[in-house]
């Protein structure tokens, strides 16, 4: 199982799509590592610079409908190779959320008010994930705790290190 | 309590129920293209799992970039081609026989009512037009599908979309679905199935139903679906005539895949299209939709007619109605990509290709190409495209490019006018 948590990158916008996370022109790369430099290259978000803003981050915090659009799992891999292990958002597009769990990564949904609170903690925010307890602790200038629900099947996928491992064992 | 079509399909394909919320489905068809499959193949190889669950249930096409545009896309095609041969996959469509997956596979009769279908492509929802459960998935789901013939889903709830009234002249399935997405918003149907019904859908061709279902994903839906009826049976007849003696016999069988009258819907949405006008997107999300009359005069640089949404024969016919005997504006370039070789040939026979060419359009081979900004019509920074495709995301057709989604008729009208314009005034 992967390790979860880390410093948070805040992307303050809803409907961030997978074309923005990794543009189609890079889908010809044949290894996950080759995708690394292009993460969030086309993100429409004022003042955002992926190279500068992504350094040392492990967690992304965003708004509603994160990962909508294309089914490309490259959007998950490009996070994985950039050492992002968790995305926390108000809601996810179905395929992106499934792709995260299929890769043994975390896509955590929190109510809008909790997300708002996370955005307002101030300073560099570090997120600790207590998976068994379903708890997040976020420390910035202020500290806050949040509880989250994980679908039991998704939890099994994370424990198995992804869907391929799980399916190979069970089907 | 009755069941919806998707609940019935799920019940008939249930392999496992790991939790009350999740289901593992047996798959009837796993479809593959050269963008998302090669990396699945190389991963399976690396894990020593280079096998397929059933070569006859796997359908493969090279469609996104074809002919290959560089060494990398050539390699993607090669990985897919070598694998199809090695695994004895007979339904493999290479250049000359290939077309956009969601237009080609229905044409080949691969999709039937009651089927479960996945593909590493978000617009797989198109195939729901046949009364199938068809969903786009990522590469890991695709790998497991290839290897084991199963896929996991959460139990989706169904939103019934009743489309009533009469379609006005100049208004098409594309306008209807853009209007519905505007109402639902881009995540209004997340983890839901959109079941399209009502008199307008009942009288729609399979092509129009595919256009509807194609864009279900743009409202976040897991799948779009139409109940299979006589129009479905007639479309499929060449492929099912060995199985049934009459269309009515097929229809009786298709009844199995009809939602029960007392099925539980999460929500029923009703739309009356009688007063609908042609629709067009602005901005960078497919729910940013306006009446075309509000966008009158927006200049465009490129017109693109094609894709899995609107590259079928009916779409070409609609566009040709406006283009016939006219020239496109000097200010624009027009690109037509018929979605499949069959569409291309039919358009040739009907004289449509000539109409497009005489109007000043470039006609390409069947491919996705410009739709996702990979080849055959990529936009330059700041350029604007009137497009019959399904996504207006930032950079979708080329970095810095802007896309306005619309029907083939509206796109053809924009080509002639050199700007977005109400196509209805060009109809005689
Ligand atoms: S035509 Fe466009 S949307 Fe359709 S499958 Fe091809 S790239 Fe995807």
């Amino acid at each position: 199982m992967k390790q979860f948590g880390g410093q948070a990158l805040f992307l303050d916008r809803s409907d961030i799509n997978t074309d923005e996370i990794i543009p189609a022109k890079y889908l010809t790369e044949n290894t996950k590592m080759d995708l690394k430099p292009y993460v969030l290259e086309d993100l429409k978000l004022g003042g955002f610079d992926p190279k500068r803003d992504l350094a040392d981050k492990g967690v992304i915090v965003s708004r509603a409908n994160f990962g909508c659009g294309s089914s490309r799992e490259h959007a998950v891999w490009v996070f994985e190779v950039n050492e992002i292990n968790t995305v926390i958002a108000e809601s996810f597009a179905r395929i992106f959320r499934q792709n995260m769990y299929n890769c043994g990564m975390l896509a955590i949904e929190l109510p809008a008010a909790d997300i708002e609170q996370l955005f307002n903690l101030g300073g560099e925010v570090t997120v600790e994930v207590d998976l068994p307890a379903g708890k997040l602790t976020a420390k910035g200038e202020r500290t806050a705790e949040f509880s989250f629900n994980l679908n039991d099947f998704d939890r099994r996928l994370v424990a198995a290190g992804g869907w391929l491992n799980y399916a190979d064992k069970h089907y | 309590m009755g069941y919806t079509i998707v609940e019935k399909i799920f019940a008939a394909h249930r392999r496992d129920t790991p939790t009350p919320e999740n289901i593992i489905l047996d798959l009837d068809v796993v479809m593959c293209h050269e963008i998302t499959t090669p990396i699945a193949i190389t991963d399976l190889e690396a894990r020593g799992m280079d096998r397929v669950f059933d070569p006859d249930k796997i359908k493969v096409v090279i469609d996104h970039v074809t002919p290959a545009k560089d060494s990398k896309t050539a390699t993607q095609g090669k990985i897919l081609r070598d694998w199809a041969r090695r695994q004895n996959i007979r339904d493999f469509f290479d250049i000359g026989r290939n077309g956009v997956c969601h237009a080609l596979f229905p044409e080949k009769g691969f999709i039937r009512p009651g089927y479960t279908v996945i593909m590493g492509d978000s617009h797989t929802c198109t195939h729901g037009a046949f009364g199938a459960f068809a969903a786009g998935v990522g590469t890991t789901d695709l790998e497991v599908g290839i290897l084991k013939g199963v896929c996991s889903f959460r139990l989706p709830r169904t939103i019934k979309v009743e489309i009533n009234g009469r379609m006005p002249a100049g208004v098409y399935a594309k306008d209807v679905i853009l209007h519905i997405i505007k109402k639902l918003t881009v995540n209004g149907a997340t983890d839901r199935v959109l079941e399209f019904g009502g008199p307008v859908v009942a009288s729609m061709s399979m092509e129009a139903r595919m256009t509807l279902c194609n864009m279900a994903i743009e409202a976040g839906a897991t799948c779009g679906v139409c109940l299979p009826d006589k129009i479905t049976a007639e479309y499929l007849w060449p492929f099912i005539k060995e199985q049934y003696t009459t269309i009515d016999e097929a229809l009786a069988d298709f009844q199995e895949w009809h939602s029960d009258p007392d099925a539980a819907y999460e929500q029923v949405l009703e739309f009356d299209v009688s007063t609908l006008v042609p629709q067009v997107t602005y901005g960078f999300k497919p729910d940013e939709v306006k009446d075309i009359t509000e966008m009158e005069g927006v200049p465009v640089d490129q017109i693109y007619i094609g894709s899995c949404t609107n590259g079928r024969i009916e779409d070409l016919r609609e566009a040709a109605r406006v283009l016939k005997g006219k020239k496109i504006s000097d200010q624009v370039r027009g690109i037509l990509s018929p979605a499949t070789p069959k569409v291309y040939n039919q358009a040739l026979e009907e004289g449509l290709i000539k109409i497009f060419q005489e109007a000043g359009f470039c006609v390409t081979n069947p491919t996705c190409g410009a739709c996702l900004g990979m080849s055959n019509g990529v936009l330059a920074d700041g350029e604007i495209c009137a497009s019959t495709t399904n996504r207006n995301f930032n950079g979708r057709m080329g970095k810095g490019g802007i896309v306005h989604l619309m029907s083939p008729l509206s796109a053809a009208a924009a080509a002639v006018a050199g700007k977005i314009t109400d196509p209805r005034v060009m109809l005689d």
Side-chain angles (χ1 to χ4, degrees), chain A residues 35-98:
Chain A
L35 300 170
K36 192 171 175 183
Y38 312 119
V39 62
L40 291 163
E41 187 180 281
D42 273 352
L43 182 66
K44 231 184 154 42
L45 190 65
F48 176 72
D49 173 359
K51 299 235 158 37
R52 178 194 69 207
D53 299 343
L54 217 72
D56 305 320
K57 301 296 193 298
V59 174
I60 288 175
V61 181
S62 190
R63 304 280 183 179
N65 198 30
F66 190 89
C68 60
S70 151
S71 64
R72 63 190 68 159
E73 200 160 304
H74 306 68
V76 169
W77 301 332
V78 79
F79 285 155
E80 192 178 16
V81 296
N82 278 285
E83 280 151 41
I84 300 287
N85 53 63
T86 302
V87 182
I88 303 169
E90 207 178 303
S91 59
F92 291 94
R94 183 194 69 85
I95 304 174
F96 179 85
R97 183 190 64 213
Q98 191 67 50

Side-chain angles (χ1 to χ4, degrees), chain B residues 11 48 63 65 69 79 83 91 98 102 128 134 146 163 166 222 257-258 296 319 325 342 368:
Chain B
D63 62 350
V65 186
K69 69 183 169 89
I79 293 171
W83 172 72
D91 292 316
N98 62 0
H102 309 307
I146 287 168
I163 308 175
R166 262 186 62 136
T222 302
W257 309 114
H258 276 206
E296 187 74 48
K342 187 177 170 194
C368 295

Side-chain angles (χ1 to χ4, degrees), chain B residues 64 100-102 121 123 307-308 368 371-372 390 396:
Chain B
H64 276 57
V100 177
C101 48
H102 309 307
D121 192 284
H123 292 99
S307 87
C308 58
C368 295
C371 171
L372 79 166
N390 46 42
R396 171 75 180 184

Side-chain angles (χ1 to χ4, degrees), chain A residues 30-164:
Chain A
N30 278 315
T31 77
K32 296 180 184 180
M33 250 331 161
D34 291 336
L35 300 170
K36 192 171 175 183
Y38 312 119
V39 62
L40 291 163
E41 187 180 281
D42 273 352
L43 182 66
K44 231 184 154 42
L45 190 65
F48 176 72
D49 173 359
K51 299 235 158 37
R52 178 194 69 207
D53 299 343
L54 217 72
D56 305 320
K57 301 296 193 298
V59 174
I60 288 175
V61 181
S62 190
R63 304 280 183 179
N65 198 30
F66 190 89
C68 60
S70 151
S71 64
R72 63 190 68 159
E73 200 160 304
H74 306 68
V76 169
W77 301 332
V78 79
F79 285 155
E80 192 178 16
V81 296
N82 278 285
E83 280 151 41
I84 300 287
N85 53 63
T86 302
V87 182
I88 303 169
E90 207 178 303
S91 59
F92 291 94
R94 183 194 69 85
I95 304 174
F96 179 85
R97 183 190 64 213
Q98 191 67 50
N99 288 344
M100 286 289 282
Y101 287 107
N102 282 349
C103 290
M105 293 159 72
L106 284 180
I108 296 175
E109 287 183 346
L110 289 183
D114 289 0
I115 294 289
E116 189 59 32
Q117 206 187 337
L118 268 168
F119 268 91
N120 291 319
L121 287 177
E124 274 293 352
V125 174
T126 305
V127 178
E128 289 164 20
V129 183
D130 182 346
L131 202 53
K135 274 211 160 38
L136 297 175
T137 309
K139 293 181 185 146
E141 281 167 15
R142 290 172 291 281
T143 297
E145 276 202 3
F146 306 93
S147 48
F148 62 91
N149 284 321
L150 221 56
N151 168 292
D152 186 43
F153 184 65
D154 292 340
R155 193 179 284 277
R156 288 189 221 173
L157 294 184
V158 172
W163 171 225
L164 193 62

